[in-house]
Amino acid sequence: MREVAALLGPEEARAAERPVFGELTADGTVTTSGAELRAEVMRVARHAERLRPAVIAVLDGSRSSIAVLLGLLAAAVDVVVVEAGNSHLRDERSVIWSAGARTLIRPESSAVPAPTGPTELTYDDLLAPGPPTSRTPPAGSGSASPDLLLLTSGSTSEPRLARQPMRAAVRGGELYRSIHAYGPADRILLPIPVAHSFGLIGGLFAGLRAGAQVLTMPKFSIGRLVRALAEGASVVLGTPLLYSMLVRAWGTEAHAPGLRLLLSSGGPLPQETADAVRRLCGVPVYQVYGSTETGLVACQDGSRETWQPGSVGVFAPGVQWELLPDPPGEESGGSGHRLAVRTSTMFTGYSDGGPGPGPGLYETGDLVRISDTSEVFLLGRKQTFINVGGKKVNPQRVARLVRDHPDVADVHVFGVEERGEQTVHAAVVAGPRGGAGLAGEVIALCRERLAAHEVPHHVHLLRALPRSALGKVDISALRAAVGVKEDEA
């Protein structure tokens, strides 16, 4: 499939022997040449032809996981991409299990408690030697581009799977490569999951397309991150939390001799963190704004000496945008306007049959302001998910899982900002058998079924949730009932 072939680069001997991938381990960096990666991708592709139309691929960021992903796509298999350890894998009602995938592919060391149905294969099953074939990956069925099915944050409901054609994902990688001048001399460090669109498209696809070396960290360690920077990593894709951790790890002096570019996504970057990073290493952190459905929308880059505090940069090349008027009865009161966009990397629809963006502009759900210098400022969302350390927590999904506790009669999950970081709160109404220990039981249930960042930091037991005349939870009254001030939300 030509998109994968473009990512793998030329087959000339000199280019093929260059390291294009590196896996950061406790013992050092294990590198993979272009020729080695190409051979592994073709091996997977030969096995993967029988797996159409779709599979679930659990990605841990290892060399094997990257080869498996690219091989599946080369064989024109649609891939539901899930991060290893993601709590959706433990949730039988998650959307990932209803996407029509008949096979789940996972690391050898990571069993998945999958519901009855999907056949499980490991990376080694697909990387096993097969019969000799031509040197090019199989073309798949026709010329259609396979789809990547990526989990959305779910800003207005539970997460969904957005379908993004592989050709659009590669085009997104080209945007990152062009805007930030990725090149063969770069070593692009991804301490973030490659299963998320920022790491997958802005890091892996963009880096491979540029002929750079992509470095992943299957098991995150701040020590490995600092070591990789000291050994010459030139580009880093991270989150606000990661950069705050990096500042603390550096202390008063940074050693990053090859560093030239830092990108941040996953939430607003505190100005004090941005200033501290620049002071320590002399390189600014550029903010990135986009979504799973749209791909890259706006970003900061090296075209300006400074960017206004709070801005996420300017619209990316080719983005069409419009600020929508407030709907009747929902005036914003000066808090920005709803943003609608069309990008060259738009999704085509959802796995559940939900419609795509259509021929017009797609409403992002974000409230923004555009400055007279064309900079974009994010002011909020129609319905806000909770941002815990740069990772999105969907309150509707957490609430649904809390309701599974037999002694929970009602629940509302919301976020609270505490000392510059958001935390997850759950207001719980006990059923007839619920007692004083219910809060601890709810937290224990969440720890069993959710990722660590999704588990509520605080569970408040109430006799009833305050509601409006229309039956909706009265957020102001709820915050007052649990002792959270309005300006902390």
Side-chain angles (χ1 to χ4, degrees), residues 291-325:
S291 71
T292 305
E293 287 94 342
T294 62
L296 181 64
V297 173
C299 62
Q300 299 174 344
D301 58 32
S303 63
R304 303 186 185 191
E305 181 64 27
T306 60
W307 295 88
Q308 294 184 47
S311 111
V312 292
V314 296
F315 287 109
V319 173
Q320 303 172 46
W321 61 275
E322 181 180 349
L323 298 183
L324 303 177

Side-chain angles (χ1 to χ4, degrees), residues 266-407:
L269 180 71
Q271 191 60 44
E272 58 269 25
T273 301
D275 292 342
V277 172
R278 186 160 195 166
R279 183 171 61 251
L280 283 168
C281 68
V283 177
V285 184
Y286 294 140
Q287 297 222 49
V288 175
Y289 164 54
S291 71
T292 305
E293 287 94 342
T294 62
L296 181 64
V297 173
C299 62
Q300 299 174 344
D301 58 32
S303 63
R304 303 186 185 191
E305 181 64 27
T306 60
W307 295 88
Q308 294 184 47
S311 111
V312 292
V314 296
F315 287 109
V319 173
Q320 303 172 46
W321 61 275
E322 181 180 349
L323 298 183
L324 303 177
D326 296 319
E330 296 186 20
E331 285 73 19
S332 61
S335 60
H337 294 279
R338 296 176 298 139
L339 176 66
V341 300
R342 173 160 288 280
T343 70
S344 62
T345 54
M346 295 289 285
F347 78 124
T348 58
Y350 295 102
S351 65
D352 58 9
L361 299 181
Y362 170 78
E363 186 173 347
T364 63
D366 293 317
L367 298 174
V368 306
R369 175 177 65 85
I370 312 297
S371 74
D372 54 6
T373 58
S374 300
E375 291 181 65
V376 182
F377 293 80
L378 292 180
L379 305 177
R381 294 185 64 82
K382 290 189 301 184
Q383 182 171 337
T384 305
F385 48 75
I386 306 165
N387 189 335
V388 178
K391 294 186 175 182
K392 303 296 191 298
V393 177
N394 185 280
Q396 288 81 19
R397 178 164 175 265
V398 176
R400 189 253 295 168
L401 291 173
V402 170
R403 286 191 190 96
D404 284 347
H405 191 291
D407 295 332

Side-chain angles (χ1 to χ4, degrees), residues 118-152:
T119 300
E120 285 196 34
L121 297 174
T122 68
Y123 297 162
D124 282 351
D125 291 330
L126 293 184
L127 286 165
T133 63
S134 66
R135 298 186 64 203
T136 57
S141 53
S143 59
S145 175
D147 286 340
L148 289 156
L149 287 87
L150 304 174
L151 276 165
T152 69

Side-chain angles (χ1 to χ4, degrees), residues 34-68:
E36 291 170 327
L37 182 60
R38 178 182 287 270
E40 291 187 344
V41 168
M42 291 190 292
R43 195 178 304 151
V44 171
R46 288 195 291 269
H47 290 292
E49 288 186 292
R50 60 188 169 87
L51 302 179
R52 299 186 192 116
V55 303
I56 299 169
V58 180
L59 303 185
D60 63 3
S62 65
R63 158 182 167 170
S64 295
S65 72
I66 301 305
V68 164

